[in-house]
């Protein structure tokens, strides 16, 4: 442990004023955050430089920030005045806190994406070990969107801003814009045809970049060079002019995504898994164009690292895909995901399937007698052939068979026979009843956005958004743990079991642990 904070001051008696059921007291008495120092120990030097602030303290400050949706400055201010905050941080009331700027440096230089995954896993493990959640449980998966911390610009405006940024850096580094460079940026708003406006701005920016490179020694002017490299990279992307690439030079990793067929947004997507007890087990963040389920296997593995055995898995139609269903089946878990019309297009009023005999039956009682595996460059399917003589005399022949074919040919995707079984399961009362458990996911989305700031990115870039989303997940987990403990304690006054063997480990500070019976 790098530095060890000890609440040994005379003033710690003030902590007795904090109610026993206060959220931060319950969390601090239940969750052991000591593992954080071990996770981050290798990123600090023990022997050189000024002593670093303890990683556990820094992450606790960040958790307070996301629990109460505070800025860097405000969380430091509150932590200097609020007894419950001080108790949670493990400091004495008279201790000084680091400057708010240190939080920003800690996020950028010390707090890695995978570190927060490990912290999340460890907290969930402690929940399992202490009986907060069962080790065998149901898991739900979903995504929620977050608006970028900047506005969405058109490609024309992005190119205009790149040109202005280039001129600004030229004046800063060499004192002027070269005479051969045209500083009069075209007024794209006067061009009615949007495609023509884009091409006009693209041509102007490319010519400007060429002239600057011909005139200026860009290797000696790093800011000018950086802007040129950035502009070239953006223009090179074929998605850019189609408004599917970069839409802001402030946040170049944010993308346009779709909440529905008619509504879109500009920003990022957070995908997470959560137990039916409302404890988040794994988080992944992608840009706004992220396809739901793309990182499903990674989320599943992170969830299993928490010591959980998954017996049920819930998701919406976006997760009805062969690879996802196979991953769930490999866990021997029950699948509660509605059939997607994009993956399964059989009209079940006309056709039914028997998996044992691998036959399809039509509504008139005819059955398939053979099948053919059809494989082309872009598609793989099965063609099932119905018995010709029954088709020949069928009263529905004219509406069922087109062309010169004698018998009905049913062509289906290679996964359709397997998907048929899922479609039949979803008609059962068991499926309809259990699928209602997934509704809690929407409530968790709303909680993270409304009360913990996940509705809008606080900073720029995918890494920063991932840190924000995972800290938010940790914050709502801690709040949920406190709620469970509070309700359990109300029903069982002897819930607290003191473990004095922790006394030595924490350097003389008694650490209270809880076990849920």
């Amino acid at each position: 442990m790098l530095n060890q904070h000890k609440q040994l001051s005379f003033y710690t008696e003030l902590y007795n004023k904090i109610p026993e059921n206060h959220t931060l007291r319950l969390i601090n008495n239940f969750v052991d955050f000591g593992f954080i120092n071990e996770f981050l120990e290798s990123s600090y030097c023990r022997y050189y430089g000024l002593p670093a602030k303890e990683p556990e303290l820094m992450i606790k400050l960040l958790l307070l920030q996301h629990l109460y949706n505070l800025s860097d400055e405000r969380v430091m201010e509150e932590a200097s005045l609020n007894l419950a905050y001080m108790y949670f941080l493990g400091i004495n009331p008279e201790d000084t806190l680091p400057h708010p700027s240190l939080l920003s440096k800690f996020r950028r230089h010390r707090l890695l994406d995978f570190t927060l995954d490990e912290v999340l896993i460890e907290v969930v493990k402690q929940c399992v070990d202490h009986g907060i959640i069962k080790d065998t449980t149901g898991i739900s998966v979903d995504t929620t969107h977050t608006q970028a911390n900047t506005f969405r610009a058109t490609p024309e405006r992005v190119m205009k801003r790149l040109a202005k940024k280039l001129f600004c850096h030229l004046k800063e580094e060499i004192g002027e814009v070269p005479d051969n460079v045209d500083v009069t940026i075209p007024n794209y708003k006067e061009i009615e045809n949007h495609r023509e406006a884009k091409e006009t701005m693209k041509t102007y920016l490319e010519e400007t970049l060429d002239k600057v490179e011909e005139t200026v020694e860009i290797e000696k002017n790093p800011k000018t060079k950086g802007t040129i490299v950035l502009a070239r990279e953006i223009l090179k992307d074929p998605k850019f002019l189609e408004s599917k690439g970069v839409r802001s030079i402030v946040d170049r990793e944010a993308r346009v995504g779709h909440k529905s067929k008619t509504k879109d947004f500009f920003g990022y997507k957070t995908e997470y898994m959560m137990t039916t007890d409302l404890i988040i087990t794994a988080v992944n963040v992608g840009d706004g164009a992220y396809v739901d389920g793309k990182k499903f296997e990674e989320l599943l593995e992170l969830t299993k690292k928490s010591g959980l055995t998954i017996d049920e898995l819930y998701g919406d139609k976006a997760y009805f895909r062969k690879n996802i269903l196979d991953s769930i089946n490999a866990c021997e878990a029950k699948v509660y995901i509605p059939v997607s019309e994009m993956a399964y297009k059989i009209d079940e009023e006309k056709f039914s399937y028997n998996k044992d005999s691998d036959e399809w039956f039509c509504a008139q009682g005819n059955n398939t007698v053979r099948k053919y595996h059809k494989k082309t460059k872009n598609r793989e399917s099965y063609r099932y052939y119905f018995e010709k003589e029954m088709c020949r005399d069928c009263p529905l022949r004219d509406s069922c068979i087109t062309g010169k074919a004698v018998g009905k040919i049913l062509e289906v995707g290679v996964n359709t026979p397997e998907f048929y079984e899922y479609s039949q399961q979803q008609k059962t009362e068991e499926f309809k009843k259990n699928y209602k458990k997934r509704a809690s996911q929407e409530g968790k989305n709303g909680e993270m956005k409304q009360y913990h700031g996940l509705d809008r990115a606080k900073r720029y870039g995918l890494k920063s958004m991932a840190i924000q989303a995972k800290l938010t997940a940790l914050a709502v987990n801690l709040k949920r743990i406190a709620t469970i403990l509070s309700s359990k304690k109300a029903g069982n006054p002897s819930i607290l079991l003191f473990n004095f063997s922790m006394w030595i480990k924490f350097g003389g500070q008694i650490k209270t642990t809880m076990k849920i019976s």
Side-chain angles (χ1 to χ4, degrees):
M1 197 173 288
L2 300 175
N3 298 311
Q4 199 167 44
H5 293 274
K6 301 176 183 178
Q7 295 175 344
L8 300 176
S9 164
F10 171 78
Y11 298 105
T12 56
E13 290 294 321
L14 293 169
Y15 292 148
N16 292 329
K17 296 175 69 66
I18 304 170
E20 288 293 329
N21 64 345
H22 190 284
T23 297
L24 294 179
R25 180 183 279 278
L26 290 169
I27 293 170
N28 193 63
N29 290 344
F30 175 79
V31 181
D32 176 8
F33 291 98
F35 64 88
I36 292 172
N37 291 330
E38 297 176 10
F39 282 169
L40 289 170
E41 187 174 14
S42 61
S43 65
Y44 289 86
C45 179
R46 289 175 174 269
Y47 310 108
Y48 299 100
L50 294 173
K53 292 295 180 182
E54 191 177 39
E56 181 181 344
L57 172 67
M58 300 304 294
I59 286 187
K60 280 185 173 182
L61 281 165
L62 291 172
L63 288 174
L64 282 175
Q65 183 180 43
H66 285 77
L67 262 171
Y68 300 106
N69 199 17
L70 304 172
S71 65
D72 288 355
E73 292 77 12
R74 187 65 188 277
V75 74
M76 290 301 186
E77 180 183 336
E78 291 290 330
S80 300
L81 302 171
N82 191 310
L83 282 175
Y85 283 27
M86 296 174 192
Y87 180 79
F88 176 73
L89 293 173
I91 62 174
N92 297 311
E94 71 273 20
D95 290 347
T96 57
L97 289 167
H99 192 273
S101 63
L102 193 59
L103 274 179
S104 178
K105 292 177 182 177
F106 182 78
R107 274 191 300 264
R108 290 199 310 268
H109 303 300
R110 304 293 184 191
L111 196 58
L112 303 176
D113 194 19
F114 67 84
T115 301
L116 286 175
D117 287 333
E118 295 296 329
V119 173
L120 190 60
I121 288 169
E122 181 62 30
V123 170
V124 177
K125 273 184 180 178
Q126 291 187 29
C127 288
V128 174
D129 293 342
H130 292 286
I132 285 287
I133 57 176
K134 297 177 181 178
D135 56 358
T136 300
T137 186
I139 293 291
S140 182
V141 60
D142 197 14
T143 59
T144 187
H145 69 278
T146 300
Q147 297 285 350
N149 193 17
T150 183
F151 68 93
R152 173 188 358 183
T154 62
E156 302 95 292
R157 184 161 186 172
V158 171
M159 289 184 278
K160 179 180 179 179
R161 295 192 66 170
L162 284 169
K164 284 188 172 183
K165 186 176 183 179
L166 178 61
F167 298 154
C168 181
H169 286 157
L170 284 169
K171 291 176 181 178
E172 181 182 343
E173 293 183 324
I174 68 174
E176 62 178 359
V177 178
D179 294 336
N180 66 329
V181 176
D182 182 8
V183 295
T184 305
I185 302 174
N187 188 349
Y188 62 85
K189 294 182 180 179
E190 293 180 350
I191 305 174
E192 294 183 3
N193 187 300
H194 292 298
R195 185 166 293 279
E196 183 182 343
K198 293 175 188 177
E199 290 297 335
T200 299
M201 288 300 297
K202 182 174 182 288
T203 301
Y204 167 78
L205 184 57
E206 287 177 334
E207 290 176 352
T208 300
L209 295 174
D210 291 340
K211 289 177 181 177
V212 171
E213 287 181 316
E214 292 171 3
T215 311
V216 180
E217 295 183 60
I218 61 172
E219 295 298 332
K220 296 181 179 180
N221 301 284
K223 290 184 178 180
T224 300
K225 179 182 177 181
T227 304
I228 292 174
V229 170
L230 173 62
R232 296 284 191 199
E233 181 182 333
I234 291 174
L235 292 174
K236 186 179 179 181
D237 183 3
K239 295 181 180 179
F240 174 62
L241 291 184
E242 299 300 323
S243 300
K244 296 179 180 178
V246 174
R247 300 295 296 271
S248 168
I249 62 172
V250 176
D251 191 346
R252 299 192 297 274
E253 293 181 308
R255 291 291 184 273
V256 175
H258 294 275
K259 292 185 278 186
S260 67
K261 291 182 179 180
T262 57
K263 293 183 179 180
D264 59 19
F265 70 98
F266 178 60
Y268 298 92
K269 269 188 175 182
T270 297
E271 186 171 39
Y272 63 96
M273 284 188 175
M274 181 180 75
T275 70
T276 49
D277 295 307
L278 309 183
I279 298 290
I280 295 174
T281 60
V283 178
N284 175 67
V285 175
D287 60 44
Y290 174 83
V291 178
D292 295 6
K294 186 177 180 181
K295 297 289 184 178
F296 180 87
E297 284 78 9
E298 286 92 333
L299 291 172
L300 195 62
E301 288 304 313
L302 288 172
T303 297
K304 289 193 287 188
K305 283 183 179 180
S306 303
L308 292 170
T309 300
I310 303 168
D311 62 351
E312 298 173 342
L313 200 142
Y314 305 86
D316 59 26
K317 291 182 180 181
Y319 295 91
F320 191 84
R321 297 206 292 275
K322 182 70 164 63
N323 63 312
I324 292 176
L325 296 173
D326 287 345
S327 297
I328 300 171
N329 288 330
C331 297
E332 298 182 352
K334 291 183 179 180
V335 179
Y336 292 95
I337 301 176
V339 171
S340 168
E341 294 81 1
M342 296 296 294
Y344 178 76
K345 300 179 180 180
I346 289 294
D347 184 349
E348 293 185 4
E349 292 185 359
K350 295 181 179 179
F351 302 101
S352 60
Y353 178 72
N354 186 306
K355 68 174 183 178
D356 296 323
S357 61
D358 191 16
E359 292 177 302
W360 287 91
F361 295 83
C362 74
Q364 295 297 306
N366 195 2
N367 62 288
T368 56
V369 292
R370 64 187 180 95
K371 75 173 182 179
Y372 169 72
H373 184 197
K374 182 180 178 183
K375 190 173 183 180
T376 61
K377 185 177 181 181
N378 300 318
R379 187 171 184 265
E380 192 173 359
S381 63
Y382 289 124
R383 301 188 78 182
Y384 286 86
Y385 294 82
F386 283 85
E387 207 281 318
K388 292 181 181 180
E389 293 305 319
M390 287 193 67
C391 284
R392 193 190 305 273
D393 300 326
C394 180
L396 301 180
R397 175 182 174 81
D398 293 340
S399 61
C400 182
I401 300 176
T402 58
K404 298 181 179 179
V406 177
K408 172 69 177 177
I409 301 173
L410 180 64
E411 186 168 350
V412 299
V414 289
N415 299 318
T416 298
E418 180 181 344
F419 290 168
Y420 179 84
E421 295 302 311
Y422 288 109
S423 74
Q424 300 310 299
Q425 293 171 15
Q426 289 170 28
K427 296 176 182 178
T428 64
E429 290 301 317
E430 178 194 4
F431 182 94
K432 294 174 183 178
K433 178 182 177 181
N434 287 334
Y435 189 68
K436 293 178 181 178
K437 296 178 183 178
R438 187 191 165 273
S440 60
Q441 196 102 23
E442 300 301 328
K444 186 63 68 174
N445 291 346
E447 178 188 354
M448 291 192 289
K449 289 182 178 183
Q450 186 173 355
Y451 301 109
H452 303 282
L454 198 64
D455 59 325
R456 186 177 181 87
K458 297 181 184 295
R459 283 162 287 276
Y460 309 119
L462 200 56
K463 179 183 176 182
S464 293
M465 186 63 236
I467 289 174
Q468 178 183 341
K470 291 176 183 181
L471 283 170
T472 301
L474 278 165
V476 295
N477 275 0
L478 295 179
K479 194 168 73 169
R480 177 59 181 165
I481 289 169
T483 300
I484 295 173
L485 290 173
S486 181
S487 63
K488 293 283 186 180
K489 187 176 180 181
N492 180 9
S494 62
I495 188 173
L496 296 180
L497 299 178
F498 292 92
N499 185 352
F500 289 99
S501 65
M502 301 295 287
W503 191 86
I504 297 176
K505 178 179 178 181
F506 286 89
Q509 176 189 342
I510 296 176
K511 181 74 174 180
T512 304
T513 60
M514 293 184 179
K515 180 101 177 156
I516 307 302
S517 58

